[in-house]
Amino acid sequence: MTEPYPIVEQRPLDPAQTKGKFFWRKEYREHGELPRPNAHQVFVYRVDGEYVLDSAQRRLDEEQVVRATHVSLVDLTRDAEVIVELAIPSAEADDFTMRVTFVCTVTNAVSVVREGRGDAQTLLRAYLKSHHRIFELGLEYRLLQINDVRRDVNAQVKAFTTLKPPVISGIAVELRSVEVLTPDEYRQLMGSRRSLEYQHELNTTQQRLDHSLTAERQHHDQYLERDRSGHDHRQTTERLAHEQRLEWERVHHSGVVGIEQQRYELDRLADRKAFDRHQRGQDREEMTALAEIIRNNPDSALANAYVAGSLDATEMAERLLVENRYRGEVERTERQAEFDRRHEARLYEIEHRNEQRRWSREQSREERKWRREDHGLARAETRRKEEITLEVIRELGKHGYLDMTNLDPNLLITKLTGAPPREQLEGGGKAEPAAGDQASSAPRAEPEDTEDDDTGVREEDVS
């Protein structure tokens, strides 16, 4: 706290001044003679050996203010914190610093001034020093064991204030907290230790990251190598396929170009002869009809040319041979393409059908396997229930419970197993099932035709 508590200031007062003349003389005090109070502070005057409370409402010319010989300014703050620090010896050369926080409230300002309780911190320090056990709590601990000291000091101070609470006249005191401050040497040591731990953690993380980076780099190099090899292989395959395709296209193009060249030569020759015929004076309608015939049917055009005398028999035969050869090549190419398309469709259909068959066989195999497992579990459960039934009957027979006339073994078996009994027990005597009976009571597996079509394994062999 920046100012003392609860008495902020005490000041002796000189005799009051007098103003006026004769019968109008009057005593008063100046403002500078009294301290300036805050809103939560009050005056306590000492007047003729008595103490008078003033809440800063009295005028400076009132009788008690004029006659006062001493004034005290008292702080009335509620739950004002008062901090007391004490040094506690340790097992080493340094000390632990104990900080105890009290909250104080002035209940009677006149009593505080009368008793001279001007500094609550000094009074509470003396109060804590009166408990000598506090100064012995740290003798068994080193500075590194500050947490143990904190627990002991906290418990000791709280117990002391509970059994012997502090009493200050006119002030209500309550313990708020108990702390043991961290020594500077310990704080520096822990700071250095944390720095080393952080550095070690950084080094470990760096090594782990370096190792991970190296492993990832090696893995990446291996992946690149495999990818490079695969890429080279694919590139080689694609290059060979491309070269074969280019060679086939070149050969095909050469054939087509040859045919087209021959057709071009023939067409040029026909055009030249047609031009000659035009030059010889054939009419336009005949040339138009002839051109129409040529565009629609080359064979008819050749026949007309032969009839007209433009072509001789040898030239017409050559032209027909070239035209038929070209048509045959085109038809063979189209038939081959159609055959390839049908062949690919057939292959896809066969592969799809085989895949459907494989999936159906796998599904059937899984279903038969599940049925075998379900049958095995059902038989095991039945055997377990019958064994429990036989064991219960055997125990009842050993203890003589079956001799009781009012005990129905069949009803007892039904209640224990939750199923009707396999055979009726007669009389009240003991019924020990024979080995043959026990064997006959075992469930019989129903024959099933569970042979697997793919593996040839029957259900009886698997279970």
Side-chain angles (χ1 to χ4, degrees):
M1 298 180 65
T2 57
E3 58 184 14
Y5 178 85
I7 298 179
V8 179
E9 184 179 352
Q10 290 181 325
R11 183 182 298 182
L13 298 176
D14 297 330
Q17 300 180 11
T18 302
K19 67 177 179 178
K21 298 181 179 179
F22 303 107
F23 299 103
W24 301 103
R25 297 176 64 84
K26 187 177 181 180
E27 296 179 340
Y28 68 97
R29 293 192 179 276
E30 298 289 343
H31 288 283
E33 299 182 45
L34 302 178
R36 296 178 62 85
N38 292 324
H40 58 279
Q41 297 173 349
V42 296
F43 287 129
V44 176
Y45 296 103
R46 183 176 180 181
V47 182
D48 299 333
E50 297 295 333
Y51 294 89
V52 179
L53 179 63
D54 179 13
S55 300
Q57 297 179 356
R58 298 178 182 273
R59 299 191 306 274
L60 297 179
D61 57 354
E62 290 188 12
E63 182 180 0
Q64 291 182 341
V65 177
V66 173
R67 294 171 54 195
T69 60
H70 192 279
V71 64
S72 299
L73 184 61
V74 182
D75 191 350
L76 298 182
T77 303
R78 296 185 60 83
D79 296 332
E81 287 190 355
V82 178
I83 299 175
V84 179
E85 292 186 358
L86 291 177
I88 300 175
S90 66
E92 299 175 340
D94 295 325
D95 296 333
F96 296 107
T97 300
M98 178 185 69
R99 176 182 289 177
V100 183
T101 303
F102 296 92
V103 289
C104 303
T105 302
V106 175
T107 58
N108 193 332
V110 175
S111 299
V112 170
V113 177
R114 182 187 298 112
E115 300 294 334
R117 307 301 186 183
D119 190 359
Q121 186 181 43
T122 303
L123 298 175
L124 292 174
R125 182 181 288 108
Y127 162 76
L128 292 175
K129 286 183 177 181
S130 64
H131 185 53
H132 302 289
R133 173 60 181 161
I134 296 177
F135 299 95
E136 300 175 358
L137 296 177
L139 296 177
E140 300 178 359
Y141 299 102
R142 302 173 57 194
L143 294 180
L144 297 178
Q145 298 172 297
I146 185 172
N147 292 328
D148 298 331
V149 175
R150 284 169 175 163
R151 283 192 294 268
D152 293 347
V153 169
N154 196 325
Q156 189 69 26
V157 172
K158 287 184 178 180
F160 175 64
T161 55
T162 301
L163 296 176
K164 186 181 178 182
V167 178
I168 301 177
S169 178
I171 302 176
V173 182
E174 181 183 354
L175 178 65
R176 174 59 59 85
S177 65
V178 180
E179 304 174 77
V180 177
L181 303 182
T182 303
D184 296 337
E185 295 81 358
Y186 179 74
R187 184 181 294 105
Q188 295 175 0
L189 176 62
M190 289 296 101
S192 302
R193 181 178 179 179
R194 282 193 301 271
S195 300
L196 293 176
E197 291 177 352
Y198 293 159
Q199 187 64 34
H200 176 70
E201 183 68 21
L202 288 175
N203 294 335
T204 304
T205 305
Q206 184 66 33
Q207 293 177 0
R208 185 166 59 251
L209 291 176
D210 292 341
H211 178 71
S212 176
L213 183 61
T214 302
E216 290 181 359
R217 185 182 293 110
Q218 293 176 356
H219 179 72
H220 183 67
D221 293 340
Q222 295 175 359
Y223 176 78
L224 287 179
E225 184 64 27
R226 290 196 301 269
D227 187 68
R228 187 183 298 108
S229 300
H231 179 69
D232 294 340
H233 178 70
R234 288 193 302 273
Q235 209 171 30
T236 302
T237 305
E238 292 177 357
R239 185 172 60 254
L240 292 176
H242 181 67
E243 291 176 355
Q244 293 176 359
R245 186 167 57 254
L246 288 178
E247 182 64 22
W248 182 86
E249 290 179 354
R250 186 182 61 79
V251 173
H252 179 71
H253 181 70
S254 299
V256 173
V257 168
I259 294 173
E260 292 292 336
Q261 184 68 27
Q262 292 178 3
R263 291 186 63 184
Y264 175 75
E265 293 295 337
L266 292 175
D267 291 341
R268 189 175 61 176
L269 181 60
D271 290 341
R272 185 183 300 111
K273 290 182 178 183
F275 179 76
D276 292 340
R277 285 194 303 271
H278 177 73
Q279 293 294 330
R280 288 191 300 266
Q282 294 181 354
D283 56 346
R284 185 177 302 277
E285 294 180 353
E286 183 180 357
M287 291 300 297
T288 303
L290 184 60
E292 184 69 20
I293 293 174
I294 293 174
R295 285 196 298 270
N296 294 333
N297 192 344
D299 294 339
S300 298
L302 292 175
N304 290 330
Y306 177 74
V307 172
S310 300
L311 294 177
D312 56 7
T314 304
E315 292 177 348
M316 181 177 178
E318 292 178 355
R319 291 286 298 272
L320 290 176
L321 180 62
V322 171
E323 186 67 24
N324 291 333
R325 186 179 303 166
Y326 173 74
R327 292 179 181 177
E329 185 69 24
V330 172
E331 291 177 356
R332 281 196 302 274
T333 303
E334 293 178 351
R335 287 197 300 272
Q336 182 65 30
E338 181 66 22
F339 176 77
D340 292 341
R341 286 194 297 271
R342 293 180 180 178
H343 181 66
E344 291 179 359
R346 180 61 178 170
L347 290 179
Y348 174 77
E349 182 180 357
I350 293 173
E351 183 178 358
H352 180 68
R353 190 181 300 111
N354 292 336
E355 184 66 24
Q356 290 290 337
R357 291 176 180 174
R358 284 196 296 272
W359 184 83
S360 300
R361 287 198 297 272
E362 291 293 333
Q363 187 71 15
S364 301
R365 188 181 296 110
E366 291 296 329
E367 291 179 356
R368 290 194 294 272
K369 180 179 178 182
W370 293 341
R371 287 197 297 269
R372 288 197 296 271
E373 292 179 355
D374 293 339
H375 292 328
L377 292 176
R379 289 196 295 271
E381 182 65 19
T382 304
R383 285 197 295 270
R384 186 181 67 82
K385 289 183 178 180
E386 293 184 353
E387 289 176 0
I388 292 175
T389 302
L390 295 176
E391 185 64 26
V392 170
I393 295 175
R394 189 179 294 111
E395 291 297 326
L396 292 175
K398 288 181 180 181
H399 294 84
Y401 290 109
L402 297 179
D403 295 336
M404 300 172 62
T405 59
N406 59 348
L407 181 60
D408 187 356
N410 295 319
L411 180 59
L412 178 60
I413 292 172
T414 302
K415 291 182 177 180
L416 290 176
T417 63
R422 293 292 301 269
E423 60 179 302
Q424 302 293 331
L425 297 178
E426 298 181 358
K430 302 177 181 179
E432 288 291 341
D437 298 339
Q438 183 176 1
S440 64
S441 64
R444 297 181 179 178
E446 294 295 334
E448 295 181 1
D449 186 10
T450 58
E451 183 176 358
D452 196 333
D453 295 338
D454 296 334
T455 60
V457 180
R458 295 181 301 172
E459 178 183 358
E460 291 78 10
D461 297 336
V462 178
S463 59

